[in-house]
Amino acid sequence: MTKNIVLTMLAAAGFACSGSASEISEFISPPNVTAAYSSHDNWRGVNHGDNDLGVKVGADLHFLGFVADTSVGWSNNDDQDEYEFSIGTEYEYTLPVIDDVTFHAEFNYYSEGTDVLGDVESELGLGLSKDLSFAKVSVTQFIALEGDHDGYGELSFDFGEVYSGVSLTATAGYLLEDVKVTHVEVSAYLPGVALPQTELELKPFVKGVYTFNDRDGIWSGQDGLEVVGGVSLTRSF
């Protein structure tokens, strides 16, 4: 069933860029393929397995008047074998007092669920972001469509390039229903290396994740600090 869903998504993407669908949708940026290895699959403060290897295909799709960021991915590690699908869009708007902001919406599907409360397989994320002097700040509230995760959401900071070739991001997860912070994650993306005679870019990364120890359900046994290292290999077409 899971493979059928993923194959259907891939077929839909292929149909979208064919001539028969050109009036409805089209790719507005070349697809890119990223393969990544990380020592741990630490996602939202939870370790989902060690020695994680993943492949993701992504592209911007113009669909029914909207620009949608779409991706289909697969990952495998010591604990799970999972397919993922994501599609999202954003809209810039000017609000009184706070000026320019960007509203964003995304849909995520996980074949193995998220291992959160209720084993969430699909969710809708709604939020807004704003460029400040020190970082791009965004807040996203996720709504579980299948399952329940106690109103999980994220507050994120994208600091951009903080040193020559080094970019930095930070994320704090929270549970809206319990009014609790779940974890804090800081990620550093190191300078990439273009492989000679190829169009491939090799980019290492490292992140530190601290999960707070007063969580229930998904947070059981996940307390404390974990450091994750890895490398990604990207090819754009």
Side-chain angles (χ1 to χ4, degrees):
M1 180 62 179
T2 295
K3 293 183 179 179
N4 290 339
I5 292 174
V6 174
L7 290 174
T8 300
M9 292 172 178
L10 289 171
F15 178 76
C17 61
S18 67
S20 60
S22 59
E23 295 182 0
I24 300 177
S25 59
E26 61 180 350
F27 286 112
I28 60 175
S29 70
N32 62 81
V33 179
T34 299
Y37 168 83
S38 59
S39 56
H40 313 289
D41 178 19
N42 193 306
W43 184 75
R44 295 184 178 176
V46 179
N47 190 324
H48 287 259
D50 298 333
N51 299 312
D52 187 72
L53 177 65
V55 178
K56 179 177 291 186
V57 180
D60 289 336
L61 179 68
H62 191 278
F63 182 71
L64 297 177
F66 292 93
V67 177
D69 180 12
T70 61
S71 67
V72 177
W74 164 83
S75 65
N76 178 270
N77 56 49
D78 295 343
D79 292 342
Q80 66 178 15
D81 185 10
E82 181 176 62
Y83 295 92
E84 300 177 3
F85 171 75
S86 179
I87 182 169
T89 189
E90 58 183 31
Y91 177 75
E92 296 181 354
Y93 194 75
T94 301
L95 294 175
V97 182
I98 61 176
D99 296 325
D100 295 337
V101 297
T102 300
F103 293 94
H104 57 265
E106 62 183 87
F107 168 80
N108 300 314
Y109 166 80
Y110 315 98
S111 66
E112 298 299 313
T114 62
D115 287 341
V116 299
L117 300 176
D119 192 25
V120 176
E121 291 188 3
S122 63
E123 63 185 5
L124 177 66
L126 301 173
L128 59 85
S129 61
K130 180 174 175 58
D131 289 318
L132 300 178
S133 59
F134 63 95
K136 180 177 181 179
V137 182
S138 65
V139 59
T140 305
Q141 180 61 53
F142 293 97
I143 302 169
L145 302 179
E146 294 179 84
D148 176 37
H149 49 28
D150 282 359
Y152 177 82
E154 292 179 341
L155 176 64
S156 301
F157 301 84
D158 185 347
F159 299 98
E161 189 174 13
V162 296
Y163 188 71
S164 179
V166 179
S167 57
L168 191 68
T169 64
T171 300
Y174 64 85
L175 300 180
L176 187 63
E177 294 182 14
D178 292 339
V179 194
K180 294 179 179 178
V181 178
T182 59
H183 72 286
V184 174
E185 175 179 311
V186 178
S187 301
Y189 301 89
L190 307 180
V193 177
L195 300 184
Q197 300 181 342
T198 71
E199 297 184 30
L200 298 172
E201 182 184 25
L202 193 67
K203 199 174 184 69
F205 59 88
V206 61
K207 63 180 179 180
V209 186
Y210 185 85
T211 303
F212 295 96
N213 60 12
D214 59 345
R215 304 282 77 84
D216 296 322
I218 59 174
W219 314 111
S220 300
Q222 302 289 334
D223 307 339
L225 177 66
E226 182 173 59
V227 178
V228 180
V231 62
S232 66
L233 190 65
T234 302
R235 170 69 159 87
S236 297
F237 296 90

